[in-house]
Amino acid sequence: MSRRITITPAKTTFEVRYSGVVIARSDRVQMLAEAGHDPVPYFPLDSVDHSRLSATDHRTSCPHKGEASYWSVTVDGQSSENAVWSYVEPLEEVMEIAGHMAFYANRMEKIGPVE
């Protein structure tokens, strides 16, 4: 039995903050909802501050999305390891998240709508 995944555009601008710094901000976020999980905002690559990211060797695999690559976030000497991921070549079912990154909510200061 396959898990149901839906991807819809967010209706507002979202941002990610870590250690007081905006790491990502976009009005083109894709919200991925997967059975049994909270919805996850996926940010377009061009909306992410890549100067705060460093690629890691960590990889995971999902039968519904494909293989994820990971990055760590660093701001003023504080780091959160493997806190960001992207499906560089996602499976066809979730192609809308190609060219997008997501962040672990429990490792960021804030992920949500801009206030």
Side-chain angles (χ1 to χ4, degrees), residues 53-59 69-73 80-84:
L53 305 183
S54 55
T56 72
D57 292 333
H58 187 64
R59 301 285 182 272
S69 299
Y70 286 78
W71 291 260
S72 296
V73 177
S80 184
E81 192 172 330
N82 297 317
V84 186

Side-chain angles (χ1 to χ4, degrees), residues 10 23 44 50 60 62 84 102:
I23 304 300
H50 294 269
T60 59
C62 171
V84 186

Side-chain angles (χ1 to χ4, degrees), residues 12-13 15 22 34-38 53 60 62 68 77 101 103-105 108 110 115:
T12 188
T13 300
E15 72 179 9
V22 174
E34 185 174 4
H37 299 279
D38 290 334
L53 305 183
T60 59
C62 171
M101 295 181 129
F103 299 77
Y104 281 111
M108 296 296 110
K110 173 195 175 184
E115 296 169 359

Side-chain angles (χ1 to χ4, degrees), residues 49-105:
D49 181 354
H50 294 269
S51 72
R52 304 290 185 173
L53 305 183
S54 55
T56 72
D57 292 333
H58 187 64
R59 301 285 182 272
T60 59
S61 183
C62 171
H64 307 289
K65 293 181 288 264
E67 182 178 272
S69 299
Y70 286 78
W71 291 260
S72 296
V73 177
T74 303
V75 172
D76 296 331
Q78 295 207 14
S79 292
S80 184
E81 192 172 330
N82 297 317
V84 186
W85 73 92
S86 179
Y87 291 93
V88 178
E89 294 179 15
L91 299 179
E92 190 173 326
E93 175 185 0
V94 294
M95 202 48 89
E96 298 94 330
I97 62 169
H100 288 70
M101 295 181 129
F103 299 77
Y104 281 111

Side-chain angles (χ1 to χ4, degrees), residues 2-40:
S2 176
R3 282 191 268 177
R4 181 164 161 73
I5 295 175
T6 58
I7 301 171
T8 56
K11 293 178 169 57
T12 188
T13 300
F14 271 68
E15 72 179 9
V16 177
R17 287 182 179 271
Y18 179 73
S19 197
V21 173
V22 174
I23 304 300
R25 182 182 182 132
S26 178
D27 62 358
R28 298 175 290 121
V29 167
Q30 295 290 331
M31 297 299 294
L32 184 143
E34 185 174 4
H37 299 279
D38 290 334
V40 175

